[in-house]
Amino acid sequence: LPARLINVGYPGDEMVNLRDTRGEKGAYITLSYVWGRPGRIPKTTSSNIAERKGGILVSSLPKTFQDVITVTRKLNVPYVWIGSLCIIQDDEEDWAREAGQMSRIYQFSLLTVAATGAENTSRGCFLDRAPTSVEIGPVISLPYRTKGGVVSGRFMVFEQHTTFAEEYDHVVEKSPLLKRGWVFQERVLSRRMVHYTKGKNFFECRTHRFMNECQEGVSKDETQLGFWGPEIKAGKMFPKNHQNPFDSTLMGRWYMAIKIYSQLQLTKTSDKLAAVAGVAREFQIRDGSALHTPLYVSGLWSHDLLYGLSWYPSRPPKLCIAGNKAPSWSWAS
């Protein structure tokens, strides 16, 4: 388990609490969300951590946090990991240590709940469905009959004019959440992720095609789905244990990942390398031979340094980015 988790208790409980796990094993859920404006989100700090451990009133938390607590309780999972509450935000040492564990935190969680359609934590996961999220034809109402022939409600039938890929691109790929830099590794590293959107809910995992709540999925001939592409998800990002993770094909995936990641948004430019460190760590640990493990420095790999130094900006760069700690020869600068 991560160093700290939110103990959600049981349905109906008015309180949750922050808990030190002390190396215990167990199941937990992670939350992926947009923080929103600074100062609008509850944080754990050195001054209030004892209070957080004593108890947190659920109703005092923003809607997104309340909703993921509800999901966690419904799934009968004891814990949820929420970054702003489980990391001591004003403790640089704690933040650096937990940020370094981000790959393990998301990779080993049972499920990542993504508040994909919410631009801040006040919106929540359970959003009102936007009627224009899917283009449909005329709607026909038909009676629903049981096996005994008894009418037990009605269901709606319509022709859907929007393909799965178009709908997925509209409500997931172009969502507020997926513009966030930190979400890149949260999504890549998660074994399973459920996207709560303004349209349908979507499920993705490392071994299955993308699917919505109606069990519609990407067709076999749609090899490229959205901005991320099939090589970045579905278990293809990282090699099998017996493969060399630093051959040309896999390094190509690294550069593809960085090309995508570098277009995303970060509140703090100083987070640029930290927010992708978990993905880099996964590439590095896949090599079983310590003798051949290349050195990773500021976004570049020692064994591929000449190619790595050949980067160039797709747009005219700013002369100086305040707070950026990356060296000038790195793409992260």
Side-chain angles (χ1 to χ4, degrees), residues 48-249:
N48 68 13
I49 186 169
E51 181 184 345
R52 299 278 193 222
K53 292 178 180 179
I56 307 169
L57 194 63
V58 175
S59 60
S60 70
L61 296 173
K63 185 68 165 57
T64 297
F65 291 9
Q66 294 182 36
D67 287 350
V68 75
I69 288 170
T70 298
V71 171
T72 305
R73 288 172 171 177
K74 290 284 188 181
L75 293 175
N76 201 28
V77 177
Y79 303 113
V80 62
W81 189 88
I82 301 173
S84 68
L85 296 179
C86 295
I87 299 177
I88 305 174
Q89 297 297 319
D90 62 348
D91 185 329
E92 291 186 8
E93 183 178 337
D94 187 78
W95 190 93
R97 181 174 57 250
E98 295 305 302
Q101 292 295 315
M102 203 69 73
S103 62
R104 298 176 63 85
I105 290 172
Y106 279 90
Q107 193 172 33
F108 293 149
S109 72
L110 182 69
L111 169 73
T112 294
V113 171
T116 307
E119 57 272 10
N120 56 61
T121 56
S122 67
R123 296 297 307 280
C125 297
F126 312 138
L127 303 173
D128 292 333
R129 299 290 177 97
T132 57
S133 62
V134 180
E135 184 182 349
I136 62 175
V139 179
I140 300 173
S141 175
L142 298 175
Y144 173 77
R145 300 180 186 274
T146 65
K147 291 182 179 179
V150 179
V151 175
S152 181
R154 304 188 71 81
F155 64 95
M156 318 303 283
V157 178
F158 58 86
E159 180 182 5
Q160 182 169 309
H161 296 163
T162 306
T163 67
F164 173 88
E166 290 170 338
E167 182 185 7
Y168 186 89
D169 182 67
H170 177 63
V171 298
V172 177
E173 297 293 346
K174 295 180 179 177
S175 66
L177 181 68
L178 266 62
K179 296 175 183 177
R180 236 185 108 229
W182 276 100
V183 173
F184 179 81
Q185 69 175 5
E186 294 171 6
R187 189 182 184 193
V188 168
L189 298 172
S190 294
R191 296 184 179 185
R192 307 171 191 88
M193 180 173 272
V194 173
H195 295 276
Y196 288 90
T197 78
K198 297 177 181 178
K200 295 174 183 160
N201 297 332
F202 291 82
F203 174 78
E204 59 184 50
C205 70
R206 288 191 173 188
T207 59
H208 203 280
R209 61 179 184 164
F210 304 130
M211 182 178 292
N212 63 24
E213 62 196 41
C214 300
Q215 297 189 8
E216 301 169 316
V218 62
S219 63
K220 293 180 180 180
D221 58 345
E222 290 177 300
T223 56
Q224 182 76 12
L225 180 59
F227 185 48
W228 301 71
E231 296 299 315
I232 301 299
K233 280 300 292 184
K236 297 179 181 178
M237 178 69 176
F238 304 119
K240 304 292 184 182
N241 288 332
H242 65 273
Q243 289 180 293
N244 176 6
F246 300 103
D247 64 26
S248 59
T249 302

Side-chain angles (χ1 to χ4, degrees), residues 22-34:
R22 305 183 189 280
E24 297 176 15
K25 296 181 179 180
Y28 64 96
I29 283 173
T30 41
L31 174 65
S32 184
Y33 61 103
V34 177

Side-chain angles (χ1 to χ4, degrees), residues 6-28:
I6 299 296
N7 181 6
V8 300
Y10 301 95
D13 286 354
E14 296 182 354
M15 304 284 288
V16 296
N17 69 284
L18 183 66
R19 184 172 182 272
D20 290 323
T21 61
R22 305 183 189 280
E24 297 176 15
K25 296 181 179 180
Y28 64 96

